[in-house]
Amino acid sequence: MLKTVNFDSFDALINDAGKRIKFLAEAAVSSKGIFTMALAGGSTPAALYLWLSCRENWNAPWDKIHFFWGDERLVPLDSELSNYRMVNENLLSKISIPPENTHIPEVSLSPEQAAADYETEIRNFGTVFDLILLGIGPDGHTASLFPDTASLQEKQKLVITVPPPTTAQPAIPRITFTLPLINQAGNIIILATGEEKYQLLNSPDEYPFKMIENAEILFTLKK
Ligand code: 6PG
């Protein structure tokens, strides 16, 4: 079930998302010593990553937290288009986290090899993420699962390559978590802001983000 929680302001949404992550991470670390989280691209997550990096908000046990990327564009890691670069700029470069805790996709490989290697890394590590963070694109995509594409039919693989999307920018090949991987996560939080996303949330159309089985959508009309 998708449950939408509404906020009056962008700051209230970010603050709540940050506190949810803090709560989930502290609970996971105290019960099993580790918290695994998949990160998303987009401008809303960028603000959340800054919140997480701030010690006044949370003195996090970074050595017990492992980050993966729910999707990544196959561009160099220092590219303006790289989700890794955005996460690094807003979070990783501001905290002290062991390098082995950041599971960065190998973007220099062929798309098929990059996806296969990332799947192997996830299978070796554990396929049930404590938290997967997602966004919603203007075309209703989530992670890099685009509308009316074969990626939505994948039943076996955990990570796949997708060709450059025709419904969203940038038109660059990507790798992405699949629905079977996403839907087994312990928790899924989707961040969405603005009028365009409001229309998607309230439309009867079957957009990719609506194929997520259980998630909380944190939403504000304000950007
Ligand atoms: C992509 C984007 C995309 C993003 C949404 C929401 O690769 O196409 O990263 O998936 O999640 O466009 O972005 P905002 O948070 O900026 O609305």
Side-chain angles (χ1 to χ4, degrees):
M1 199 186 65
L2 294 180
K3 179 181 164 213
T4 304
V5 185
N6 289 288
F7 294 90
D8 290 340
S9 70
F10 186 80
D11 284 353
L13 181 153
I14 296 300
N15 208 35
D16 186 85
K19 286 180 179 165
R20 282 169 194 257
I21 293 171
K22 179 177 169 183
F23 176 81
L24 291 172
E26 287 175 352
V29 168
S30 78
S31 71
K32 60 191 172 94
I34 186 172
F35 176 68
T36 57
M37 174 174 172
L39 302 164
S43 55
T44 318
L48 173 61
Y49 302 151
L50 269 181
W51 189 101
L52 293 172
S53 74
C54 184
R55 269 179 84 97
E56 288 87 68
N57 291 331
W58 184 26
N59 188 10
W62 295 121
D63 60 326
K64 309 269 190 333
I65 295 176
H66 284 251
F67 290 126
F68 289 76
W69 275 257
D71 70 321
E72 182 56 288
R73 291 98 174 250
L74 296 177
V75 293
L77 293 177
D78 60 357
S79 162
E80 274 301 307
L81 300 175
S82 162
N83 284 341
Y84 164 78
R85 185 203 54 75
M86 183 279 272
V87 174
N88 190 42
E89 204 168 288
N90 291 288
L91 178 61
L92 303 176
S93 64
K94 298 179 187 299
I95 61 175
S96 194
I97 185 165
E100 62 272 21
N101 290 22
T102 58
H103 302 262
I104 308 166
E106 276 291 349
V107 289
S108 59
L109 302 173
S110 70
E112 287 69 25
Q113 199 59 52
D117 283 15
Y118 210 45
E119 172 157 338
T120 301
E121 181 156 0
I122 290 168
R123 284 195 190 277
N124 290 339
F125 201 83
T127 59
V128 181
F129 283 87
D130 292 311
L131 172 64
I132 295 183
L133 185 71
L134 297 168
I136 301 175
D139 58 351
H141 79 261
T142 193
S144 281
L145 301 168
F146 294 93
D148 305 318
T149 61
S151 63
L152 299 170
Q153 309 308 324
E154 180 60 47
K155 299 280 186 286
Q156 303 295 330
K157 292 181 181 169
L158 305 181
V159 183
I160 54 172
T161 176
V162 297
T166 55
T167 53
Q169 292 296 326
I172 291 196
R174 300 145 178 247
I175 64 167
T176 184
F177 282 16
T178 59
L179 289 169
L181 176 57
I182 293 171
N183 279 328
Q184 60 179 288
N187 297 274
I188 301 172
I189 293 177
I190 303 178
L191 305 178
T193 64
E195 179 64 35
E196 203 174 25
K197 309 291 166 66
Y198 179 82
Q199 301 298 340
L200 295 179
L201 293 178
N202 292 291
S203 150
D205 294 349
E206 192 52 28
Y207 293 110
F209 78 87
K210 294 187 181 175
M211 297 176 182
I212 306 300
E213 286 162 8
N214 274 303
E216 288 208 291
I217 302 177
L218 309 187
F219 174 75
T220 180
L221 260 181
K222 310 275 174 57
K223 276 208 169 194

